[in-house]
């Protein structure tokens, strides 16, 4: 070990007592543990926020329409298989209540990934399953005469910005929204998700009926 390495090691050792001596007056909330998402709880974070057409269809979506890509793992780890990942989600959304925080924690425990990566994947994939469940619920009912919009937070991706700009305040028929989703992916997403239910990776938007 050269002199520079010893210097760095010594600096780290000197800092350790100061870190250990820090007192945390209040335990971190479960949301706070997930870094920059602390103040950005998504609407689909907990099952009790979801309408019945989502909670009643989400398990069937996992069983019959599952198209999620398992999270990437380290090169020295066996990859997560499609069946393992599907079974994981089925275990966690078949019964309520569920929350994105509990799912992320369980994902980090079940698979060889860290908690930050688990939360990012849980956030994207739960949103996708919720959207699929909502669309499945809509399709089970009569769609004629009903209007829908592309809903969610202020978009920061050009695909969702464009998609929202194409939908008037009164909404559009369901099939027209679906067509616009496909067009947005073609126009603005270089490597679009394979699922027809998500416009781009990490998307937090979905089809909702105009009330």
């Amino acid at each position: 070990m050269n002199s520079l390495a010893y210097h760095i090691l010594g600096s780290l050792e000197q800092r350790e007592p100061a870190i250990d001596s820090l007192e945390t007056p209040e335990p971190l909330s479960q949301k706070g543990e997930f870094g920059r998402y602390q103040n950005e709880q998504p609407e689909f974070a907990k099952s009790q926020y979801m309408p019945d057409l989502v909670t009643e269809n989400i398990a069937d979506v996992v069983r019959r329409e599952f198209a999620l890509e398992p999270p990437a793992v380290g090169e020295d780890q066996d990859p997560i298989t499609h069946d393992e990942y599907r079974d994981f989600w089925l275990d966690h959304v078949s019964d309520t209540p569920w929350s994105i925080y509990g799912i992320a924690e369980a994902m980090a425990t079940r698979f060889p990934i860290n908690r930050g990566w688990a939360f990012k994947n849980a956030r994207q994939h739960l949103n996708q399953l919720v959207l699929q469940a909502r669309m499945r619920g809509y399709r089970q009912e009569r769609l004629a005469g009903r209007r829908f919009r592309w809903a969610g937070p202020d978009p920061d991706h050009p695909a969702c910005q464009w998609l929202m700009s194409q939908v008037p305040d009164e909404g559009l028929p369901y099939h027209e929204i679906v067509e616009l989703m496909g067009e947005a992916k073609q126009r603005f997403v270089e490597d679009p998700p394979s699922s027809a239910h998500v416009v781009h990776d990490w998307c937090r938007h979905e089809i909702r009926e105009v009330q």
Side-chain angles (χ1 to χ4, degrees):
M1 185 179 296
N2 60 35
S3 59
L4 178 59
Y6 278 116
H7 174 73
I8 294 173
L9 179 61
S11 298
L12 291 175
E13 290 176 346
Q14 291 175 2
R15 293 174 186 171
E16 285 179 359
I19 294 173
D20 292 339
S21 65
L22 290 176
E23 295 182 1
T24 304
E26 296 291 340
L28 291 175
S29 69
Q30 196 171 33
K31 285 170 59 178
E33 294 176 356
F34 294 105
R36 66 188 182 89
Y37 294 104
Q38 180 173 359
N39 297 316
E40 297 181 18
Q41 174 172 283
E43 293 183 2
F44 55 85
K46 297 181 179 180
S47 57
Q48 55 263 43
Y49 298 162
M50 293 290 95
D52 290 346
L53 87 166
V54 169
T55 56
E56 292 173 358
N57 284 284
I58 193 167
D60 282 341
V61 163
V62 176
R63 291 189 189 96
R64 302 173 185 177
E65 305 175 18
F66 192 78
L68 300 180
E69 187 75 21
V73 299
E75 294 181 357
D76 58 340
Q77 302 287 345
D78 292 332
I80 303 167
T81 68
H82 177 272
D83 288 349
E84 287 174 336
Y85 201 48
R86 181 194 60 211
D87 291 345
F88 169 83
W89 278 103
L90 191 58
D91 288 343
H92 287 86
V93 299
S94 292
D95 298 307
T96 55
W98 43 255
S99 78
I100 190 173
Y101 307 107
I103 290 172
E105 191 73 41
M107 188 182 295
T109 301
R110 170 66 180 81
F111 301 115
I113 57 178
N114 64 47
R115 295 173 71 250
W117 184 231
F119 184 75
K120 288 182 180 180
N121 280 273
R123 183 186 180 94
Q124 179 189 9
H125 291 168
L126 182 58
N127 181 47
Q128 181 170 333
L129 292 174
V130 166
L131 174 55
Q132 288 181 249
R134 190 184 293 273
M135 295 173 74
R136 183 181 180 86
Y138 287 148
R139 293 195 303 269
Q140 291 172 348
E141 303 173 1
R142 188 171 181 270
L143 293 174
R146 299 166 68 187
R147 295 276 170 160
F148 299 87
R149 61 191 176 96
W150 189 239
D154 289 340
D156 54 10
H157 193 286
C160 284
Q161 291 173 352
W162 176 83
L163 184 49
M164 281 189 167
S165 72
Q166 303 304 302
V167 182
D169 292 341
E170 64 272 18
L172 292 171
Y174 179 88
H175 72 277
E176 292 188 24
I177 296 285
V178 173
E179 291 174 358
L180 285 173
M181 289 173 65
E183 185 175 348
K185 290 171 72 169
Q186 291 179 348
R187 295 181 60 167
F188 299 100
V189 186
E190 183 174 347
D191 186 19
S194 58
S195 172
H197 307 96
V198 176
V199 173
H200 62 87
D201 287 339
W202 315 116
C203 183
R204 293 184 291 150
H205 296 83
E206 62 184 11
I207 294 177
R208 292 187 195 165
E209 185 171 11
V210 176
Q211 301 296 330

